Amino acid sequence: MNATQEPILVCKDLCISYYTRAGEIPAVVDFSLTVLPGETIGIVGESGCGKSTVAMAIMQYMGANGGIKSGSITFKGRDLNRMSENELRRVRGSEIAMIYQEPFASLNPSLKISTQLMEVPLAHENITKAEARQRALQLLKDVNLPDPERLMDAYPHQLSGGQQQRAVIAMGLLSKPALLLLDEPTTALDVTVEAGIVKLVADISQKFGTSQIYISHNLGLILETCDRVFVMYSGEVVEEGTIDSLFTWPRHPYTHGLFACIPLPTADKNTAPLKPIRGQLPLPFERPQGCYYHPRCDHFKPGLCNVDHFKMEYVEGSAADHRVRCLRWGEIDHRKEAPGSEAKEPMKLGKRVLNVDGLKKYYEVRDSSLRALFTGKRTRYVKANEKLNFTAREGETVAIVGESGCGKSTFAKVLMGLETGTEGEIRHKGKDLSNTAVRDRSAKQISSLQMVFQNPFDTLNPSHSVGGQISRVIKKFGVETDKKKIFDRVMNLLDTVKLPKDFYFRKPRQLSGGQKQRVGIARAFAGNPSMVIADEPVSALDVSVAAAVTELLMEIQREHKTTLLFISHDLSVVRYLSDRIVVMYLGHILERGTTEQIFAPPYSPYTEALLSAVPIADPEVTKREIVLEGNLPSAMDPPKGCPFCTRCPRKIGDICDNEMPPEQVVVDRHVIKCHIPIEELSKVEPVIHVPDASERLQKPAAVGQ
C-alpha cells in the first residue's frame, strides 16, 4: 500500500436516501471514504447505522426506492453513478465483488458449485469452459477446501457453512477484483472457521493486490484485518483513523461506548462489568437536532451539542487522518471514567442442581447403499454425545463451548426433553430426566427448565402480542391463575427486562432484535425456572445490545439464583460470563474446569486452538496464532482414537490415532482428555498475554481505560 498511488475508490460527501409513501428517509449523510490499492478498510457500528447501505451504493444495488441524493462514488477514476446498466454489469463481479453475510443465500440451491463458479469468468472474460473450470478448481484449492474435484460437482446443501462461505469467497475472487466488499462475512461461523477464513482472505487478497472493505460489528475482527477504520452512527461517520490510533486513543464518546460493551480479557462480571450504551439508535426520520448521539451521550452539554449539526475535524497530536465528529472531544478525559458499571459482589453458589453422568446420545441411520448391502452394516449411528460428565450448582453459570457439530445443542435437547438419551443420566434436582420426553414430564419439571434461543425472530409468534405470549407461560405452568395477577406479573417481568409497559400490547414485528431477545428472556423466566439454557443468545446481536442482554441475564440470575447453562462458540463472552467451562469436540468433553483454569495453561490442544481464534479488540493484548487445518470429522464415522487427532497440531503419534485418550485430573475438578502428559502441557506458553498496569502506563488513553 502506497499513499502516493491513485485511489481505487473515492466516496465524497455521499448522501443516500430511500423514498417511501411516508416520504424521504435519509439513510446515509455526509459520508466520505478513500480506499488505496491493497488497503483494507473497516466500517463498524450498530445495526441500522448505514454500513450495508454504503456497500449497496458502491455496488449500485439500491433497489427501486433507493438512490444517491448527492455526492459521488468514483471507482478507478470513473463515476459509478453515471455508468449505464451494461457498464455496471461489466464492473460487478470482475472489478468489484461482494461477499455477503449468509453464504447459503448467495448460492443457487439448484445449481452445482462448478456451474456457479465458472459463470463468473465466463460472463466477464473471453475464455473457454475448460479454462473457467480449471481456474475455479484452482481457487477452491487456494481457499483450502478438501477434495475440490468432489465439491465442484456438489450442490450447496451438501457443503457445511464454513465450506459454503469459502466457496462464496472463491466466487468473489475468481476474476481477481480490484475491490472486495465483505458484509459481516464471518458472523454465522465458528471462531476457528472464522480465523481460517480471515487469514485466507488476507493471503489471497495480498496475492492478487485486492483492496477490501470489511463491514462488521465485531471490533476484534476489524483490529486483526484492517489498516483504517470508520465508526458510523445513525447514517454518518463519527470517527475515523488508523487502527493503532483509533483503537488506542478513541476520541468520540460513541466509540468509547462500543469498547465498553465488549468483553475484553480485562473485563470481569463482578469487579469490572460491561457498560451497555443506554437508549437506542434513532430512526433516520427521528434524528435529533445537533449531534445525533447526544440523547445517549454521558458528556452531553445543553446549548452546544443539541444546536447545530457539525462536520468532522482532525484530532490534534494523533495520526494525520484521525478525525472525529464531536465538539467536546478535546475537553473529555476518558481516563477519569469508570471502565464499566458498578462493581457487584460475587454470587454465592448453592447446592448441585444438575448432574450429568456418562450421557450418550446416538441417532440411528439406516444405510441402503450397495456397500452396506455387501458388508451387512445396514444400521449406522451418529454419535452426537459420548459419555458426558459434569455438574452445575445453584446460581452458577456453566458454559458449553465448541464448534458447530460438537454436540452442544444435542445435549440441550436431551436436557429439555426434546430428545431422549441413549445411555447415562441427567439428574435435575435428583431426578433422572434423560429418558423422559417433554410430553411425559410434569408441568413443574417443564417450568423448571426453560430456554432462551439464538434467533429471537423465529421464537415469537407473530400473530400474538408480547403480553399474550408471556401470560400464556404464567397460566400454563400454574404460577398464577387470576387474570389481574397474571397481568401484574407480566408487567413486572417487562420491567425486569427493562422494556416499557406499553410493549404488552405490541406484536413482535414492532420490536427490534434486542427487544425481541428481551421478550424471550422474560418468557423464559416467567415460570420461575431453576435452570435456564441459553443457546447462543447474543451471537446475532450488536455489541451494544449484546452487552445489555448479557447484563440483564446476570441481573435476573442474581435475583432468582437461577442456574444458567450458556451454550456458545464465542469465548470472549464465555470468559466474561461463566464460572465453569465445558469444552466439547465431536461429542466428547476434551476439557472442563473453572474459567480461570480453562484460560491458563495447561490446555487441551483443542482449547488452545479455540483461544487463539478469538478476536480481541485491544491492540495491547497479544496472542499466539494457531489456525486449525481441515474440517470437523463426521459424527457417523469418528476417528478411532482421540476425536481431535485429525486436526491436532500437537499430535504425538499412532497412540492418538488408535487409542481414546484418558481423562487426566490437573487439579480439583479441572480435567483434560489428552494423551500428552500434564507435565508437558503445563510447559505450553499462554495463548493470550494481557499487559499489566505498568505495561499500559505508556499509553494512558488506551482501550478500556
Side-chain angles (χ1 to χ4, degrees):
M1 186 180 70
N2 187 344
T4 60
Q5 291 178 292
E6 284 294 317
I8 288 290
L9 181 78
V10 178
C11 299
K12 189 173 181 182
D13 303 328
L14 199 59
C15 293
I16 305 167
S17 292
Y18 289 97
Y19 300 91
T20 67
R21 278 182 282 185
E24 180 186 344
I25 298 175
V28 173
V29 292
D30 189 26
F31 181 87
S32 296
L33 166 77
T34 300
V35 184
L36 298 174
E39 187 177 29
T40 302
I41 300 292
I43 303 178
V44 301
E46 295 170 280
S47 294
C49 72
K51 306 186 300 291
S52 296
T53 300
V54 169
M56 290 303 179
I58 294 170
M59 294 293 291
Q60 297 289 301
Y61 283 148
M62 296 303 299
N65 68 331
I68 294 169
K69 186 178 179 182
S70 61
S72 62
I73 305 176
T74 306
F75 175 71
K76 288 186 175 181
R78 295 176 290 171
D79 191 342
L80 291 175
N81 300 344
R82 298 183 179 180
M83 285 188 182
S84 66
E85 275 301 314
N86 285 334
E87 288 175 312
L88 286 171
R89 272 193 212 99
R90 286 195 290 270
V91 170
R92 293 188 197 118
S94 61
E95 296 189 73
I96 305 176
M98 188 164 179
I99 296 170
Y100 298 90
Q101 179 173 351
E102 179 50 63
F104 199 77
S106 306
L107 296 169
N108 189 325
S110 63
L111 297 178
K112 290 182 177 179
I113 296 296
S114 58
T115 305
Q116 299 185 60
L117 290 175
M118 289 164 58
E119 184 181 25
V120 177
L122 286 172
H124 295 288
E125 301 172 41
N126 186 23
I127 61 173
T128 65
K129 284 188 176 182
E131 291 171 326
R133 183 179 178 84
Q134 186 56 40
R135 190 191 293 182
L137 190 63
Q138 181 57 48
L139 210 51
L140 286 184
K141 292 176 184 175
D142 287 344
V143 297
N144 299 326
L145 275 170
D147 198 1
E149 284 281 4
R150 180 183 64 81
L151 292 181
M152 285 282 280
D153 292 324
Y155 289 93
H157 71 272
Q158 296 172 305
L159 277 63
S160 69
Q163 289 174 333
Q164 288 174 11
Q165 192 64 295
R166 287 170 190 250
V168 170
I169 289 169
M171 192 183 301
L173 293 168
L174 258 170
S175 282
K176 303 175 185 176
L179 179 64
L180 182 64
L181 308 176
L182 302 103
D183 189 359
E184 302 277 13
T186 59
T187 300
L189 303 179
D190 292 319
V191 286
T192 49
V193 178
E194 176 185 76
I197 283 179
V198 165
K199 186 175 185 301
L200 167 74
V201 173
D203 290 345
I204 293 179
S205 296
Q206 188 174 15
K207 178 180 175 182
F208 296 144
T210 307
S211 300
Q212 300 170 74
I213 297 178
Y214 262 96
I215 295 167
S216 181
H217 62 251
N218 186 337
L219 285 162
L221 176 67
I222 294 296
L223 174 63
E224 291 186 359
T225 56
C226 298
D227 303 307
R228 287 191 297 137
V229 61
F230 289 68
V231 181
M232 289 189 71
Y233 182 81
S234 191
E236 66 181 8
V237 176
V238 295
E239 188 166 7
E240 64 173 272
T242 63
I243 286 293
D244 185 60
S245 176
L246 190 139
F247 273 72
T248 310
W249 293 286
R251 298 297 185 182
H252 199 283
Y254 177 61
T255 312
H256 271 273
L258 288 178
F259 283 126
C261 294
I262 301 170
L264 296 171
T266 49
D268 182 276
K269 68 178 180 180
N270 297 315
T271 59
L274 301 180
K275 188 178 180 182
I277 302 173
R278 67 173 187 270
Q280 293 182 32
L281 195 79
L283 295 171
F285 50 85
E286 295 178 347
R287 288 173 180 142
Q289 182 73 17
C291 172
Y292 295 160
Y293 184 61
H294 85 250
R296 306 172 74 186
C297 184
D298 294 332
H299 307 283
F300 168 64
K301 189 173 182 180
L304 177 69
C305 302
N306 59 343
V307 179
D308 296 318
H309 201 63
F310 36 88
K311 291 189 174 291
M312 302 276 283
E313 60 179 76
Y314 286 96
V315 174
E316 296 173 14
S318 292
D321 62 349
H322 192 161
R323 300 197 302 161
V324 63
R325 196 187 298 270
C326 178
L327 292 176
R328 301 198 62 207
W329 70 264
E331 305 169 27
I332 302 168
D333 187 355
H334 293 286
R335 290 171 292 177
K336 292 182 179 178
E337 294 179 30
S341 305
E342 292 180 10
K344 301 176 178 70
E345 284 293 319
M347 194 167 174
K348 290 182 181 179
L349 305 182
K351 59 186 179 182
R352 288 186 184 180
V353 294
L354 182 73
N355 285 73
V356 182
D357 188 12
L359 180 74
K360 289 184 178 182
K361 174 59 185 175
Y362 292 178
Y363 293 97
E364 186 177 296
V365 178
R366 298 288 294 173
D367 191 346
S368 56
S369 67
L370 285 174
R371 179 185 172 188
L373 186 64
F374 285 117
T375 59
K377 295 180 179 179
R378 302 296 296 272
T379 303
R380 302 173 73 188
Y381 294 93
V382 175
K383 299 177 180 180
N385 289 155
E386 277 278 20
K387 292 185 179 179
L388 304 188
N389 296 285
F390 67 92
T391 61
R393 297 164 68 185
E394 185 182 71
E396 187 174 34
T397 300
V398 179
I400 304 179
V401 302
E403 295 171 281
S404 297
C406 73
K408 307 186 298 290
S409 295
T410 298
F411 167 74
K413 288 176 183 176
V414 176
L415 177 59
M416 294 295 293
L418 302 175
E419 302 276 1
T420 54
T422 305
E423 280 184 29
E425 294 182 341
I426 298 179
R427 293 191 302 280
H428 179 245
K429 292 192 170 181
K431 186 170 181 63
D432 182 18
L433 300 177
S434 60
N435 287 304
T436 309
V438 67
R439 68 179 70 87
D440 300 321
R441 295 183 183 183
S442 66
K444 186 177 179 181
Q445 287 175 328
I446 295 171
S447 67
S448 67
L449 290 167
Q450 287 296 300
M451 198 157 184
V452 179
F453 297 92
Q454 177 175 0
N455 192 342
F457 301 90
D458 294 339
T459 54
L460 297 175
N461 190 322
S463 303
H464 293 186
S465 69
V466 166
Q469 297 189 58
I470 300 174
S471 300
R472 183 176 182 273
V473 176
I474 297 168
K475 187 177 179 181
K476 177 84 174 173
F477 295 137
V479 178
E480 297 287 356
T481 52
D482 182 73
K483 286 187 177 181
K484 176 69 169 62
K485 289 182 178 179
I486 291 173
F487 179 80
D488 290 343
R489 180 160 173 78
V490 174
M491 286 301 178
N492 287 334
L493 282 165
L494 289 176
D495 193 47
T496 300
V497 297
K498 296 178 174 56
L499 287 175
K501 292 187 176 181
D502 67 335
F503 273 43
Y504 183 98
F505 304 100
R506 291 197 183 185
K507 297 286 179 68
R509 67 175 181 273
Q510 297 172 291
L511 277 59
S512 68
Q515 290 168 342
K516 287 179 184 176
Q517 194 62 294
R518 286 167 187 253
V519 173
I521 292 169
R523 187 174 61 179
F525 282 90
N528 292 329
S530 63
M531 176 176 282
V532 169
I533 298 92
D535 190 358
E536 302 274 14
V538 296
S539 65
L541 305 177
D542 288 323
V543 287
S544 54
V545 179
V549 169
T550 300
E551 293 302 305
L552 176 65
L553 271 172
M554 289 192 295
E555 196 175 309
I556 300 174
Q557 182 189 30
R558 283 175 179 278
E559 184 181 341
H560 297 278
K561 294 184 178 178
T562 313
T563 303
L564 184 63
L565 204 62
F566 191 80
I567 297 172
S568 180
H569 65 253
D570 186 343
L571 279 166
S572 294
V573 177
V574 163
R575 179 177 193 159
Y576 173 73
L577 191 66
S578 62
D579 302 302
R580 295 183 60 78
I581 298 175
V582 174
V583 181
M584 288 188 67
Y585 183 84
L586 207 64
H588 294 259
I589 294 177
L590 295 190
E591 186 170 3
R592 64 179 189 270
T594 65
T595 304
E596 292 75 19
Q597 290 167 344
I598 296 294
F599 277 80
Y603 311 110
S604 155
Y606 180 57
T607 307
E608 186 183 10
L610 283 180
L611 293 177
S612 174
V614 178
I616 299 173
D618 188 339
E620 295 182 331
V621 174
T622 56
K623 60 180 183 175
R624 289 190 287 114
E625 183 181 291
I626 304 165
V627 178
L628 292 181
E629 301 295 336
N631 297 303
L632 201 74
S634 168
M636 195 182 294
D637 188 21
K640 180 182 176 184
C642 173
F644 187 51
C645 69
T646 58
R647 302 168 73 194
C648 182
R650 295 189 180 275
K651 184 176 170 182
I652 57 176
D654 291 342
I655 189 171
C656 298
D657 293 322
N658 299 314
E659 293 183 27
M660 184 63 67
E663 288 192 344
Q664 303 183 75
V665 179
V666 183
V667 62
D668 191 20
R669 292 156 70 197
H670 184 196
V671 177
I672 294 176
K673 195 171 189 176
C674 186
H675 286 296
I676 303 171
I678 293 297
E679 296 74 27
E680 286 188 37
L681 292 175
S682 300
K683 296 174 184 176
V684 173
E685 288 292 316
V687 174
I688 299 170
H689 172 68
V690 182
D692 57 27
S694 61
E695 292 176 275
R696 288 182 180 267
L697 282 176
Q698 296 180 1
K699 293 187 177 181
V703 170
Q705 296 184 345

